Amino acid sequence: MNESLLRELVPAVIGVLVRRGADFASAEDAVQEALIRALETWPDDPPRDPKAWLVAVAWRKFLDVARAEASRRGRELAVEAEPPAGPALAADDTLRLYFLCAHPVLSPSSAVALTLRAVGGLTTRQIATAYLVPEATMAQRISRAKRRIVGQRFDQPGDLGTVLRVLYLVFNEGYGGDVDLAAEAIRLTRQLVALTAEPEVAGLLALMLLHHARRASRTGAGGRLVPLAEQNRSRWDTGLISEGVTILQAALARDRLGEYQAQAAIAALHADARSAGETDWAQIVEWYDELLLLTGSPVVRLNRAVAVGEADGPQAGLAALAEVDPELPRYTAVRAYLLERAGDLERAAELYAEASRAATSVPERDHLTREAARVRQLPRP
């Protein structure tokens, strides 16, 4: 099979789907699914018209996704229109679907990817970005997960930890991405809190509320990204902050610390500071140490380097950053920030510009470009 031919056909097939009414991101996603199908079937049964074959398969994939999304929205609207069933909070079908997609036959990573795509409504590209893997890799993972559950019985829903991971990623995409899914993630997590006493569920809800409380101040005119230190704290939702802190304190009191509780504790410390200068960075570093023990995550290690730089100075932050993989997304931006604080303005400006070229969103790219320009204009010692 000629894979170069497949690559050449991709733009044309996407164009056909867009002309038929698909948005560009959905068209890309559908074509990716069609390409995976082509790689599986063409070696044994090559089509007479490769382009027509790809268009037909991709269009069917797009229609399947569009119907599933319409069905999901219909369920949500129906739930909102229904009167309360009584004092107990009833979970709707969406939460049940999250558990069903986290099927025991799937690995946790595959279950999360499938649920984000099939129920959460995220594109393959958004999921790949969240997992720090190439889009093609994620597309193959989702396709394998779909094949794996074909013919399986759905009387054994998946585990709670996998569902929490999905809700966490859906919220993150809604909070910082192109699709507003944050409120939906909070709604479903509230339902889950009503169904279980597991402290990590409460910790996740607290984390969501504390971050959501700052949402109005995160962007300025034209979608301009506003860093935490520059945000107008008077715009933070004190009601959500108070609720989040109360929920977190109750979860921590159960003495079964998990990663979501640790993240919520960091968010609570930021929310508690009346100004950026009053932030208790030393305590934040301690919570990052706990979080690193719990997860071993390279992203946590990167964020910890920033906190160390704030608590103990930029040189200490750079020393902590030396333990982080330089290939990690946003590593270059963090190094630029620490070098600027250390006084190496020339190198900081270069790295801000480099980081802007690797940014995964337009607001982030524009912010880093502005940072590079700002540092270039600073007076040199």
Side-chain angles (χ1 to χ4, degrees), residues 9-22 24 27-28 31 51 55 59:
L9 289 173
V10 166
V13 176
I14 290 175
V16 171
L17 267 62
V18 170
R19 287 193 294 274
R20 288 185 178 183
F24 188 81
E28 277 190 315
V31 171
K51 179 181 176 182
V55 168
W59 183 245

Side-chain angles (χ1 to χ4, degrees), residues 191-345:
Q191 291 185 358
L192 205 49
V193 166
L195 296 172
T196 176
E198 169 57 47
E200 268 293 79
V201 180
L204 178 58
L205 178 58
L207 175 63
M208 290 178 176
L209 294 174
L210 288 164
H211 277 296
H212 206 58
R214 303 200 305 258
R215 187 170 188 178
S217 63
R218 292 185 72 247
T219 54
R224 177 172 179 157
L225 187 65
V226 180
L228 177 60
E230 300 172 18
Q231 289 176 16
N232 180 355
R233 298 182 180 222
S234 68
R235 300 186 66 197
W236 290 2
D237 189 325
T238 55
L240 287 181
I241 290 173
S242 177
E243 182 185 5
V245 169
T246 300
I247 292 171
L248 173 63
Q249 289 173 338
L252 292 174
R254 298 173 196 169
D255 200 23
R256 297 209 312 271
L257 183 65
E259 62 175 299
Y260 301 121
Q261 295 169 72
Q263 288 189 59
I266 293 169
L269 286 167
H270 283 298
D272 186 55
R274 291 177 296 180
S275 67
E278 297 177 72
T279 304
D280 189 345
W281 286 106
Q283 195 174 165
I284 287 176
V285 171
E286 292 177 5
W287 276 111
Y288 271 123
D289 289 339
E290 293 282 355
L291 191 53
L292 200 54
L293 288 173
L294 289 165
T295 67
S297 164
V299 175
V300 171
R301 196 176 296 277
L302 179 67
N303 292 336
R304 179 185 178 276
V306 176
V308 169
E310 298 290 351
D312 301 324
Q315 294 300 338
L318 288 166
L321 189 64
E323 303 175 8
V324 180
D325 182 0
E327 297 300 314
L328 195 68
R330 298 189 174 89
Y331 172 95
T332 304
V334 169
R335 183 165 176 78
Y337 173 73
L338 292 171
L339 285 172
E340 179 192 348
R341 292 195 61 220
D344 189 348
L345 301 183

Side-chain angles (χ1 to χ4, degrees), residues 108-165:
S109 61
S110 294
V112 170
L114 177 62
T115 314
L116 289 171
R117 186 70 190 91
V119 187
L122 274 64
T123 67
T124 303
R125 175 175 296 176
Q126 290 169 323
I127 302 168
T129 299
Y131 268 89
L132 309 179
V133 299
E135 184 177 356
T137 300
M138 184 53 65
Q140 291 173 350
R141 184 181 301 176
I142 293 171
S143 182
R144 286 195 299 268
K146 289 177 180 177
R147 292 196 301 271
R148 184 94 170 113
I149 63 172
V150 170
Q152 295 289 337
R153 295 180 60 184
F154 283 89
D155 54 357
Q156 292 180 293
D159 74 314
L160 178 62
T162 299
V163 173
L164 289 181
R165 181 64 179 167

Side-chain angles (χ1 to χ4, degrees), residues 71-87:
S71 177
R72 183 177 73 88
R73 287 197 301 268
R75 288 194 305 272
E76 293 168 2
L77 291 172
V79 169
E80 290 176 2
E82 290 177 358

